[in-house]
Amino acid sequence: MEMTEEVNVVLLLDLAIENPIDRSVVLAQMPAESAGAASVFRVTDFGAPQYATGTPDHWPTVIAAIDRMVDKARSRERSGARCRYWVAGRAGLPAFVYLGYRLTKNAVVTLVNPRDSGP
């Protein structure tokens, strides 16, 4: 039986200018042996603008950026790897809902929600 490679993919919904979540916070929650090899994707790198509190004035722009980010992240799956997604960020709730919709119910997803008392 052939083993499928598992890769860690971090999806950051970094829409908020105020109090952003640093990628190191997410990587610290991952198993130590895999955090260094994780692929990290930020929705702002795919054309989503940032807003003071993370709630956009124009959702279609953000939705399109999430689509591009997921398509890029899913390229690892298309090449035969099994992805474990780590999701974090500061954004309006609809961004998280849409990202979950795009990943589908079959994706392995861990949502990292840091608090002052710890993640």
Side-chain angles (χ1 to χ4, degrees):
M1 180 178 221
E2 189 176 318
M3 288 291 262
T4 302
E5 176 193 15
E6 180 174 287
V7 295
N8 288 293
V9 177
V10 176
L11 302 176
L12 284 175
L13 296 173
D14 59 336
L15 297 179
I17 295 169
E18 300 170 6
N19 197 21
I21 295 177
D22 190 81
R23 67 185 269 160
S24 64
V25 171
V26 181
L27 296 176
Q29 301 309 306
M30 301 170 94
E33 66 275 2
S34 61
S39 298
V40 179
F41 299 97
R42 295 177 175 276
V43 74
T44 52
D45 290 341
F46 294 89
Q50 289 185 303
Y51 301 87
T53 61
T55 301
D57 298 329
H58 189 69
W59 278 105
T61 303
V62 173
I63 296 302
I66 291 171
D67 286 339
R68 288 188 293 273
M69 180 177 70
V70 170
D71 288 343
K72 180 71 173 175
R74 281 262 156 95
S75 68
R76 300 293 301 268
E77 289 177 342
R78 290 189 294 273
S79 66
R82 192 182 87 185
C83 292
R84 178 183 182 113
Y85 294 97
W86 299 79
V87 176
R90 300 265 191 252
L93 182 58
F96 286 93
V97 171
Y98 186 72
L99 177 60
Y101 167 75
R102 281 300 315 270
L103 289 175
T104 78
K105 67 181 180 181
N106 296 322
V108 178
V109 178
T110 299
L111 182 62
V112 179
N113 187 11
R115 302 282 187 202
D116 291 338
S117 59

